[in-house]
Amino acid sequence: METKLLTNDDNSLIEAAELLKAGKVVGIPTETVYGLGANALDVNAVADIFKAKGRPQDNPLIVHIADIKTLETLAFDVPDLAYKCAEAFWPGPLTMILKKRKIIPDVTSGGLDTVGIRMPSNRYARKIIEYSGLPIAAPSANLSGSPSPTTAMHVFNDMNGRIPAIVDGGMSAVGVESTVIAFDNDSIRILRPGFVSREDLLDICKNVIIDKGVLEQLSPDTVVRSPGMKYKHYSPKADVTIIDADTDKFREFIKEKADRDTVCLVFDENDVKGIDIKNINYGKDSKEQARLLFDALRHIDEIGAKKAYARCPEKSGVGLAVYNRLLRAAGFQVIKL
Ligand code: AMP
Ligand code: MG
């Protein structure tokens, strides 16, 4: 199959929507990362997403909508708290886990009786959904296990020959996947951290819990609320280790370890000043790091490094999302100095 790169003019967005209506899988830009979209209600189309990605069948997909009316057609017993969250954060990078209606096939929900729903803010994503008139199931558009794609080229590198088209919407503004939350009585449980942070959610609800799976390694047979959290994820081929240290200690450590096969993921050049080692700058603050992390992870392999040492991001705010992704890329290897 030839993979067509579409631009983001209206004709291209209509072409993408027509492909979705015809049951095809299309790479679409969103503000979080690029998604691999298909009709969420079409069993065969959704099965093709799993095939294109090589994704485990029990890992459910997020369903994307363009207007709030659609929510009640896909989910029931939607709590008031969910409407408050929608009002505060939609359209935007927040996914809510709700009880699913029968119209959502099991293949979309990974066999669960819930469905994750999100209304993206990216204008191309919204237009594609609107033009298709369908709820669109879309996981990140990478091969299962690889870093998520934040540009159309990343998608092309992973999906060339596997899907009919990719819409180029430029670089994803947020850069990490959506915050995934579930509702427990009057509390919110963060199953996956994202750009909408715990601190943001505390403005809506005083009880916001961070699920165990966010920072701990779960064994593959653990029964979890968010199946995606137990899989190997975001991994470059190189061996990644997080170095939890201040600038001086980081630099000392790197000076000792520096060799030609190693690369550092740094906040700025200062972190490796005076040391002869390859480095990739992944941003000074959490928002910039969220935007640049996945490109940096892909870059590690492109430059052929065998080992990577990454400076440890903040563990709060948007930084928690960056830390969560980097932990998985590093297979939970952290050295604290
Ligand atoms: P991705 O499609 O790569 O953005 O990953 C989607 C994430 O949302 C995974 O971590 C899933 O486990 C999670 N997710 C999607 N739907 C549900 C659901 N119904 N219940 C719990 N987690 C979900
Ligand atoms: Mg993913």
Side-chain angles (χ1 to χ4, degrees), residues 5-73:
L5 261 176
L6 298 172
T7 61
N8 50 48
D9 58 26
D10 237 31
N11 284 338
S12 301
L13 302 180
I14 290 168
E15 190 175 339
E18 290 301 325
L19 284 166
L20 292 168
K21 285 204 278 191
K24 304 288 184 209
V25 178
V26 180
I28 55 178
T30 86
E31 72 277 19
T32 56
V33 301
Y34 274 70
L36 216 49
N39 178 358
L41 310 180
D42 178 337
V43 176
N44 295 322
V46 172
D48 283 347
I49 295 180
F50 282 87
K51 259 185 243 151
K53 264 185 83 82
R55 182 173 174 116
Q57 295 287 335
D58 73 340
N59 195 358
L61 307 181
I62 293 169
V63 177
H64 295 71
I65 61 175
D67 64 80
I68 195 82
K69 288 196 305 282
T70 310
L71 183 64
E72 295 270 348
T73 68

Side-chain angles (χ1 to χ4, degrees), residues 53 55 139-142 146 148 177 192 233-234:
K53 264 185 83 82
R55 182 173 174 116
S140 50
N142 51 291
S146 311
S148 299
E177 305 85 342
R192 177 175 72 183
H233 242 120
Y234 317 123

Side-chain angles (χ1 to χ4, degrees), residues 55 59-62 97 112 114-116 139-140 180 192 225-228:
R55 182 173 174 116
N59 195 358
L61 307 181
I62 293 169
I97 306 300
L112 300 173
T114 53
V115 59
S140 50
V180 178
R192 177 175 72 183
R225 294 280 292 271
S226 184

Side-chain angles (χ1 to χ4, degrees), residues 185-201:
N185 300 317
D186 286 330
S187 64
I188 292 176
R189 177 176 293 270
I190 298 180
L191 300 177
R192 177 175 72 183
F195 193 79
V196 174
S197 65
R198 171 166 189 266
E199 291 77 358
D200 294 333
L201 291 164

Side-chain angles (χ1 to χ4, degrees), residues 12-331:
S12 301
L13 302 180
I14 290 168
E15 190 175 339
E18 290 301 325
L19 284 166
L20 292 168
K21 285 204 278 191
K24 304 288 184 209
V25 178
V26 180
I28 55 178
T30 86
E31 72 277 19
T32 56
V33 301
Y34 274 70
L36 216 49
N39 178 358
L41 310 180
D42 178 337
V43 176
N44 295 322
V46 172
D48 283 347
I49 295 180
F50 282 87
K51 259 185 243 151
K53 264 185 83 82
R55 182 173 174 116
Q57 295 287 335
D58 73 340
N59 195 358
L61 307 181
I62 293 169
V63 177
H64 295 71
I65 61 175
D67 64 80
I68 195 82
K69 288 196 305 282
T70 310
L71 183 64
E72 295 270 348
T73 68
L74 306 175
F76 69 100
D77 275 357
V78 178
D80 284 347
L81 195 48
Y83 282 107
K84 280 192 194 150
C85 288
E87 198 173 310
F89 304 110
W90 276 7
L94 180 74
T95 297
M96 302 198 280
I97 306 300
L98 300 164
K99 289 185 195 161
K100 85 172 179 87
R101 288 194 190 275
K102 286 204 184 72
I103 188 174
I104 302 278
D106 277 348
V107 58
T108 302
S109 64
L112 300 173
D113 53 11
T114 53
V115 59
I117 303 182
R118 170 168 116 78
M119 189 191 292
S121 62
N122 179 285
R123 59 195 174 114
Y124 308 123
R126 293 174 66 80
K127 280 192 175 174
I128 293 167
I129 299 168
E130 275 165 23
Y131 292 156
S132 74
L134 295 167
I136 300 296
S140 50
N142 51 291
L143 287 172
S144 199
S146 311
S148 299
T150 52
T151 66
M153 233 28 235
H154 291 165
V155 182
F156 191 80
N157 289 340
D158 278 15
M159 291 296 150
N160 185 18
R162 292 172 172 261
I163 57 173
I166 300 163
V167 175
D168 190 345
M171 192 177 172
S172 297
V174 169
V176 290
E177 305 85 342
S178 58
T179 307
V180 178
I181 60 170
F183 301 97
D184 294 340
N185 300 317
D186 286 330
S187 64
I188 292 176
R189 177 176 293 270
I190 298 180
L191 300 177
R192 177 175 72 183
F195 193 79
V196 174
S197 65
R198 171 166 189 266
E199 291 77 358
D200 294 333
L201 291 164
L202 282 169
D203 287 342
I204 309 296
C205 171
K206 60 182 187 311
N207 198 2
V208 181
I209 302 155
I210 295 179
D211 196 70
K212 204 168 142 236
V214 168
L215 296 174
E216 282 178 36
Q217 188 161 26
L218 303 167
S219 74
D221 51 5
T222 318
V223 177
V224 283
R225 294 280 292 271
S226 184
M229 297 304 263
K230 69 186 182 197
Y231 290 108
K232 191 171 151 72
H233 242 120
Y234 317 123
S235 309
K237 292 187 186 68
D239 186 51
V240 181
T241 306
I242 299 173
I243 308 301
D244 192 352
D246 62 22
T247 310
D248 289 342
K249 289 211 174 101
F250 181 82
R251 222 186 286 156
E252 256 171 57
F253 177 86
I254 296 303
K255 211 180 252 169
E256 217 172 277
K257 300 281 178 184
D259 65 38
R260 291 171 51 203
D261 291 334
T262 305
V263 63
C264 292
L265 254 61
V266 298
F267 299 160
D268 61 38
E269 312 75 60
N270 202 29
D271 292 339
V272 284
K273 202 169 168 184
I275 307 171
D276 182 21
I277 189 164
K278 291 188 205 117
N279 64 86
I280 302 168
N281 198 323
Y282 86 105
K284 281 191 245 328
D285 59 53
S286 297
K287 285 186 181 165
E288 200 181 352
Q289 288 160 10
R291 209 154 15 89
L292 300 180
L293 178 69
F294 287 134
D295 188 57
L297 290 175
R298 282 175 183 256
H299 208 55
I300 292 174
D301 287 340
E302 281 160 19
I303 62 179
K306 294 199 173 62
K307 235 181 182 350
Y309 293 113
R311 272 210 74 177
C312 187
E314 297 274 341
K315 295 168 193 164
S316 59
V318 180
L320 184 67
V322 181
Y323 184 54
N324 168 272
R325 306 312 190 272
L326 198 50
L327 263 179
R328 279 163 178 76

